[in-house]
Amino acid sequence: MYAGVLFDFDGTLVDTSELVVKSFQHTLGPYLGRVVAPEEVYPYFGITLKEGLAAFVPDHLEEMLPEYRRFSAAHFDDLVRPCPGVREGLERLQQAGIKLGVVTSRVRDTTLYGLELCGLASFFPVIVTAEDVTSHKPEPEPVRRGLELLGLAEEAAAMIGDSPHDILAARAAGVTSVAAGWSKVPPKRILAAAPEIVVATMAEFVDLCLDGNGRKGQA
């Protein structure tokens, strides 16, 4: 049984995929002259907003960032919801005495708001956001910061996320890397990052944490 678990936020705890895609489409449309397809946006899940927008339009970040955030804030409550089974799973982990933290490339204010909106804030005494580190996933610094704040050694923890960046950061930090199979990111992209374990549901992940029976390297 793991002593602690670090969770990615977007797409792992909270389903923000529709919000993120629509915010990208709204923000990029005037610059690209077209509507980007969801499949074009999915590869940028798990990295900072600046990096994601710059991948499409590198020269207008100062204009795009506030417009993205304005649109996202206006539609956040309508488009964001907990991922299936997350609350029930967190309750089981908490009852078992497992330490829980969030490691995200999202900024702190929207991370906290999303956790509150979905009724998940009380589970997480530790939240590492984009403002708390100098390098971001897939670098290991955010994961190591989460371990430090939870008081855990890397061998005692797992990190679960829904993008290759989460897996690479977990591996680089020396924690068990777990891929969330409910991701909108194409499975082949996540598997290319070589997660140690893949789970299909939150319930399966909780069972893994509590009894150690995971499916190594399976989609």
Side-chain angles (χ1 to χ4, degrees), residues 3 5 24-25 47 49 54 65 70 79 82 87 94 102 109 114 126 129 147 158 176 192 200 211 217:
V5 176
F24 265 83
Q25 290 172 333
I47 63 174
L49 176 58
L65 283 169
R70 184 202 64 77
L79 298 179
R87 182 172 183 83
Q94 188 178 66
V102 174
D109 60 348
V126 166
T129 67
L147 293 174
T176 300
D211 63 28

Side-chain angles (χ1 to χ4, degrees), residues 106-134:
R106 181 179 281 273
V107 295
R108 179 165 289 271
D109 60 348
T110 59
T111 300
L112 295 178
Y113 184 78
L115 291 172
E116 290 285 354
L117 179 69
C118 295
L120 305 178
S122 62
F123 293 105
F124 298 106
V126 166
I127 300 171
V128 179
T129 67
E131 295 102 324
D132 300 316
V133 292
T134 56

Side-chain angles (χ1 to χ4, degrees), residues 112-173:
L112 295 178
Y113 184 78
L115 291 172
E116 290 285 354
L117 179 69
C118 295
L120 305 178
S122 62
F123 293 105
F124 298 106
V126 166
I127 300 171
V128 179
T129 67
E131 295 102 324
D132 300 316
V133 292
T134 56
S135 60
H136 306 283
K137 293 182 287 186
E139 297 300 319
E141 183 187 353
V143 179
R144 289 176 176 158
R145 179 63 175 156
L147 293 174
E148 177 186 357
L149 292 172
L150 285 175
L152 294 173
E154 57 267 25
E155 63 270 15
M159 165 86 189
I160 181 168
D162 73 315
S163 83
H165 311 289
D166 300 314
I167 303 306
L168 292 171
R171 292 181 57 199

Side-chain angles (χ1 to χ4, degrees), residues 30-111:
Y31 300 95
L32 299 180
R34 65 181 181 87
V35 177
V36 295
E39 291 75 18
E40 294 179 84
V41 179
Y42 294 152
Y44 301 100
F45 282 18
I47 63 174
T48 64
L49 176 58
K50 287 182 180 180
E51 292 172 303
L53 290 174
F56 291 91
V57 181
D59 299 327
H60 295 278
L61 280 178
E62 289 187 7
E63 305 160 28
M64 291 192 296
L65 283 169
E67 183 57 27
Y68 180 104
R69 289 174 174 146
R70 184 202 64 77
F71 182 91
S72 179
H75 297 276
F76 201 98
D77 289 18
D78 295 329
L79 298 179
V80 169
R81 60 195 62 84
C83 290
V86 161
R87 182 172 183 83
E88 296 83 355
L90 292 173
E91 288 174 349
R92 290 178 61 198
L93 293 173
Q94 188 178 66
Q95 289 166 5
I98 295 176
K99 297 180 178 181
L100 305 175
V102 174
V103 175
T104 178
S105 297
R106 181 179 281 273
V107 295
R108 179 165 289 271
D109 60 348
T110 59
T111 300

